[in-house]
Amino acid sequence: ELLRERDAGQERGMLAGIGLLEYTGLRAAARGHLERLAARYPASLAVHERWRNRMLVDWGAERMRHRYAKFATDAEDKPTAEWYAGYAALVAGDRHTQDGRKIEADNAYTDAVDRFARSAAGNPDYADSSNHYAVFALAGRALVRHQRGDGKAAVADLLRAADLRPGSLDQDDALQRKPRGVAIRVHRELMDAGKAELAGRLQPLLP
């Protein structure tokens, strides 16, 4: 507390101290310290990973996503905050997908796509990374929309992903899915459903 009040201490030391709070079960206190630390070190991967995971465990994916939205709204460095809020939304989308919450997954992936776009537009240094993770969000949303019966939107998302960053199509996302693999699955299932014309739009993404 003294270190925090005096704006002293280093990032690693503060994280270690917060770890002691977590170890003793003081999760709310740890969460509050992590949020303040994220404001102090807004570009720290380590701080954001700890804060994001703390909220994910304590509150669940959706509340974590909305807290990051507030973080982005309040931040002075918008491109950095939007990147982290976008990543939090992507994590939430993946968690909702695992839990079978398709509407929530669609909303979270959309949030991620929009935030990564704003981050890339606000700071070109973030563009490549933002586009990479946006491809994952688009592919995740495409699969969800396909499963909900909206094949046209799914195909549009996959084509947009391919245009955004082709090099990410063969990379694994957090759920061990490749965007190209999602495209192959959607193409196959559209063909099986007798929607050959729509499926044919995905031909450029097939191996």
Side-chain angles (χ1 to χ4, degrees), residues 44-99:
S44 170
L45 288 168
V47 169
H48 280 283
E49 182 179 13
R50 287 280 296 277
W51 185 36
R52 184 175 60 248
N53 289 338
R54 180 75 274 147
M55 288 191 287
L56 193 61
V57 170
D58 294 350
W59 289 347
E62 196 64 3
R63 190 173 174 187
M64 179 270 291
R65 178 172 76 88
H66 285 289
R67 191 63 177 184
Y68 256 102
K70 181 180 184 302
F71 173 78
T73 297
D74 295 342
E76 293 183 7
D77 182 352
K78 295 295 184 184
T80 298
E82 289 283 18
W83 191 97
Y84 281 103
Y87 191 83
L90 176 59
V91 170
D94 289 344
R95 180 60 60 90
H96 291 319
T97 296
Q98 289 178 308
D99 294 341

Side-chain angles (χ1 to χ4, degrees), residues 4 10-11 13 36 40 69-70 73 84-85 108 112 136 141 151 166 171 183 202 205:
R4 182 184 64 80
Q10 298 299 311
E11 176 185 340
R36 288 188 288 271
R40 181 177 173 186
K70 181 180 184 302
T73 297
Y84 281 103
F136 289 161
R141 187 174 72 177
Q171 301 295 313
L202 291 174
L205 278 67

Side-chain angles (χ1 to χ4, degrees), residues 154-169:
V155 169
D157 275 348
L158 289 166
L159 293 175
R160 181 179 171 187
D163 286 340
L164 189 61
R165 194 175 189 275
S168 297
L169 293 177

Side-chain angles (χ1 to χ4, degrees), residues 122-205:
N123 185 342
D125 290 341
Y126 284 106
D128 190 59
S129 178
S130 292
N131 292 341
H132 172 69
Y133 287 109
V135 168
F136 289 161
L138 285 165
R141 187 174 72 177
L143 185 55
V144 168
R145 290 180 170 181
H146 170 65
Q147 292 171 336
R148 296 179 68 195
D150 193 349
K152 185 176 180 180
V155 169
D157 275 348
L158 289 166
L159 293 175
R160 181 179 171 187
D163 286 340
L164 189 61
R165 194 175 189 275
S168 297
L169 293 177
D170 295 306
Q171 301 295 313
D172 285 332
D173 68 6
L175 298 182
Q176 303 303 305
R177 304 174 302 189
K178 291 179 174 62
R180 194 183 305 278
V182 173
I184 292 170
R185 173 180 172 179
V186 171
H187 176 270
R188 181 182 67 248
E189 293 180 0
L190 286 174
M191 290 292 291
D192 290 345
K195 299 179 180 180
E197 183 177 354
L198 182 59
R201 295 179 58 197
L202 291 174
Q203 193 64 39
L205 278 67

